[in-house]
Amino acid sequence: MARKATVIGASGLIGRTLLDLLLRDGYYEEVHIMVRKSLNLSDPKLTEHIVDLADPVAYELPISGAETVFSAIGTTMKKVKGDRDAYKKVDFDIPVTAAKTAAKFGVYGFVLVSSVGANAADNNNFYLKLKGIVEETITKESIPYVIIFRPSLLMGHREERRIGESIAQFLAPVFGGLLMGKWRVYKPINAAEVAKAMLLVGKSPKKGIFIYTYDDIKKIGLQVV
């Protein structure tokens, strides 16, 4: 059986780079993506599933038979106009539904993009608490190998314009250099480095739950793809 990878969030900053890497890499012979609208890409390895991500049944065909599922989905409060329920439908419902489907079909590895500071017990920050709850929920599923990435500010070019993030990226080289010791986890990192690390760890035969932050991601990235 051909090795299959499934990507959720393939149109995003990390997901798009990850998709390119997966298509060039020889490990996975099939790459399936779940999208709301076509990315208009053509590759012999690529199968695009245009689905309703609110429908749990829609996850079954793209995920069944996969060795690894990569989740890089996410939204912003601006996109959902400050609606926390709408935000949860993307940042919680989608990755959790994907993980439950992965467990149902015996997927070996699940790779999740979360956030630095994710903490289910944090009652002062809606974003970080939700990320923590997502992590906790996914790690309780019967998936042999779960990898969680917790990057800080992501550097890279987005198709959509985010003013605040653009300013932060501009200032990042200055302030990033001041983050030392325990604060190193908050250093900005290039989305391409995160994508490369996701690909590399996704191919590992390890078992267990692994959480990677800034220094871990940089170290993994030193490996040759």
Side-chain angles (χ1 to χ4, degrees):
M1 182 181 292
R3 284 196 175 100
K4 171 180 172 180
T6 302
V7 182
I8 303 162
S11 63
L13 185 58
I14 292 176
R16 186 66 180 83
T17 303
L18 174 62
L19 176 58
D20 289 341
L21 291 173
L22 286 165
L23 293 176
R24 295 201 306 266
D25 189 79
Y27 183 83
Y28 296 101
E29 296 156 280
E30 296 180 19
V31 180
H32 292 241
I33 59 174
M34 296 176 61
V35 292
R36 293 187 180 92
K37 61 181 180 179
S38 178
L39 298 186
N40 296 313
L41 298 175
S42 178
D43 188 280
K45 290 171 60 172
L46 179 64
T47 301
E48 183 180 68
H49 302 265
I50 300 175
V51 298
D52 175 5
L53 291 168
D55 178 10
V57 176
Y59 291 68
E60 296 191 352
L61 180 60
I63 289 177
S64 62
E67 178 176 314
T68 315
V69 172
F70 297 89
S71 176
I73 194 80
T75 189
T76 64
M77 277 297 182
K78 181 180 178 181
K79 274 189 175 181
V80 298
K81 300 179 181 178
D83 185 333
R84 290 191 173 189
D85 288 334
Y87 189 93
K88 287 180 181 179
K89 286 179 181 178
V90 177
D91 274 48
F92 179 87
D93 290 2
I94 293 175
V96 167
T97 301
K100 288 182 180 298
T101 307
K104 176 181 177 180
F105 286 98
V107 171
Y108 185 80
F110 193 94
V111 185
L112 172 73
V113 177
S114 183
S115 171
V116 66
N119 183 356
D122 187 344
N123 293 318
N124 297 314
N125 188 306
F126 168 78
Y127 172 81
L128 296 179
K129 183 179 181 69
L130 184 64
K131 290 292 186 184
I133 294 173
V134 170
E135 291 183 6
E136 280 193 355
T137 305
I138 288 174
T139 55
K140 290 177 181 176
E141 294 297 328
S142 56
I143 302 171
Y145 182 38
V146 176
I147 313 97
I148 297 169
F149 282 82
R150 290 180 178 174
S152 183
L153 174 67
L154 294 170
M155 306 291 286
H157 173 71
R158 292 186 188 271
E159 293 301 321
E160 60 176 313
R161 192 180 182 191
R162 298 183 181 179
I163 301 298
E165 194 171 82
S166 297
I167 294 171
Q169 287 194 19
F170 178 76
L171 297 174
V174 176
F175 292 101
L178 301 176
L179 297 171
M180 304 299 290
K182 68 178 182 179
W183 300 106
R184 286 181 59 82
V185 293
Y186 294 97
K187 278 180 170 286
I189 191 164
N190 195 291
E193 293 183 87
V194 179
K196 179 182 177 184
M198 291 173 71
L199 170 65
L200 289 168
V201 301
K203 296 189 290 184
S204 172
K206 292 180 180 179
K207 287 186 178 181
I209 299 167
F210 300 84
I211 297 175
Y212 297 122
T213 55
Y214 177 83
D215 283 329
D216 305 308
I217 298 168
K218 299 290 281 190
K219 183 177 180 181
I220 295 167
L222 295 176
Q223 301 176 41
V224 177
V225 176

